[in-house]
């Protein structure tokens, strides 16, 4: 491999034919880079779309690739920093994952930011229309993703996140197309949030894509 092998691989991931079958090779290449260089290259944005490699992997449902990348990040702070980068539409990779309805895709990202402050920061980032990750999940009708997100928050954080309004002055519950999802969000404050360790243990089970 040449010195720019990581750059070549990351560019290759943006091509439409790129499969989610390169984790071993990607791990080997990433580990040859110093942590600062690794973060720097993974943070690079496409000139046209503003997407990072994590945006692309989320959009293509490349769960194995996401897990490989995140496993090579040494700190929760750096992981949260990568997940908080916004594309030209101001979407983060977690916005894209939440919108997809694929719990496994989202969990591959957020299990690496167990620190409350880091995770809460991701949940408050708003895209160009002002939507948070929770707005995106509500719009897709993803009950499992909503419960996964809010189950990692304290009661106070849940109340704060549910109260965030987009540029159309709508909360996540008001953006839900499904009445049951709207009611779930409206009533969530009365439920007991799961402790993080409990959620993390339960998240080891496999999840498929939800029907929305």
């Amino acid at each position: 491999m040449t010195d720019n092998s990581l750059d070549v691989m990351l560019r290759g991931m943006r091509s439409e034919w790129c499969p989610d079958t390169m984790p071993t090779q990607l791990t080997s290449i990433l580990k040859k880079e110093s942590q600062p260089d690794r973060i720097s290259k993974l943070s690079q944005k496409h000139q046209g779309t503003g997407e990072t490699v994590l945006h692309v992997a989320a959009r293509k449902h490349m769960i194995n690739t996401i897990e490989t990348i995140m496993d090579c990040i040494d700190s929760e702070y750096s992981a949260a920093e990568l997940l908080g980068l916004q594309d030209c539409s101001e979407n983060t990779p977690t916005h894209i994952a939440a919108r997809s309805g694929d719990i496994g895709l989202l969990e591959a990202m957020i299990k690496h930011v167990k620190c409350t402050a880091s995770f809460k920061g991701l949940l408050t980032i708003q895209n160009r229309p002002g939507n948070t990750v929770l707005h995106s999940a509500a719009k897709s009708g993803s009950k499992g993703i909503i419960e996964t997100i809010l189950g990692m928050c304290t009661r106070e954080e849940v109340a704060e996140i549910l109260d965030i309004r987009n540029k159309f002055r709508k909360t996540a519950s008001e953006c839900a197309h499904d009445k049951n999802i709207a009611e779930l969000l409206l009533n969530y404050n009365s439920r007991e949030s799961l402790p993080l360790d409990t959620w993390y243990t339960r998240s080891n089970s496999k999840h498929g894509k939800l029907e929305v």
Side-chain angles (χ1 to χ4, degrees), residues 75-130:
S75 73
E76 290 177 356
Y77 176 81
S78 296
E81 186 177 22
L82 286 175
L83 292 173
L85 293 174
Q86 295 170 280
D87 62 18
C88 289
S89 297
E90 300 182 21
N91 287 308
T92 65
T94 48
H95 276 94
I96 297 171
R99 192 168 58 215
S100 75
D102 189 334
I103 297 179
L105 189 64
L106 185 69
E107 286 180 350
M109 298 177 185
I110 64 175
K111 70 180 182 181
H112 294 277
V113 287
K114 295 173 286 182
C115 169
T116 301
S118 298
F119 185 66
K120 181 183 173 184
L122 288 174
L123 296 183
T124 58
I125 296 175
Q126 294 172 273
N127 62 13
R128 188 172 295 167

Side-chain angles (χ1 to χ4, degrees), residues 42-71:
L42 292 172
S43 299
Q44 290 175 358
K45 296 185 177 184
H46 185 269
Q47 191 171 5
T49 65
E51 290 183 322
T52 66
V53 65
L54 283 174
H55 285 88
V56 175
R59 177 164 52 81
K60 295 184 175 184
H61 296 264
M62 300 172 74
I63 296 177
N64 293 333
T65 297
I66 290 171
E67 289 181 335
T68 298
I69 291 172
M70 301 306 293
D71 285 343

Side-chain angles (χ1 to χ4, degrees), residues 1-13 22-35 37-39 41-42 68-69 72:
M1 291 287 179
T2 61
D3 290 339
N4 68 342
S5 55
L6 178 58
D7 301 280
V8 172
M9 177 165 282
L10 296 182
R11 284 198 301 270
M13 283 182 60
M22 63 173 90
T24 301
Q25 185 182 13
L26 182 57
T27 299
S28 175
I29 294 174
L30 283 170
K31 287 186 175 179
K32 291 179 182 178
E33 302 279 344
S34 67
Q35 182 71 4
D37 286 345
R38 201 179 298 166
I39 298 297
K41 291 183 178 181
L42 292 172
T68 298
I69 291 172
C72 289

Side-chain angles (χ1 to χ4, degrees), residues 122-190:
L122 288 174
L123 296 183
T124 58
I125 296 175
Q126 294 172 273
N127 62 13
R128 188 172 295 167
N131 294 321
T132 64
V133 172
L134 193 60
H135 283 83
S136 297
K139 286 186 173 186
S140 71
S142 305
K143 179 181 177 182
I145 286 183
I146 290 169
E147 292 186 329
T148 294
I149 291 172
L150 296 181
M152 292 180 69
C153 299
T154 65
R155 188 180 297 276
E156 292 75 18
E157 290 166 350
V158 167
E160 181 180 343
I161 293 162
L162 287 174
D163 198 43
I164 296 175
R165 295 181 179 273
N166 63 18
K167 292 183 179 179
F168 301 98
R169 304 298 301 160
K170 290 186 175 184
T171 63
S173 63
E174 292 169 333
C175 287
H177 302 301
D178 186 315
K179 183 179 72 172
N180 293 327
I181 295 297
E183 290 178 352
L184 170 67
L185 290 164
L186 286 170
N187 296 329
Y188 206 92
N189 268 338
S190 63

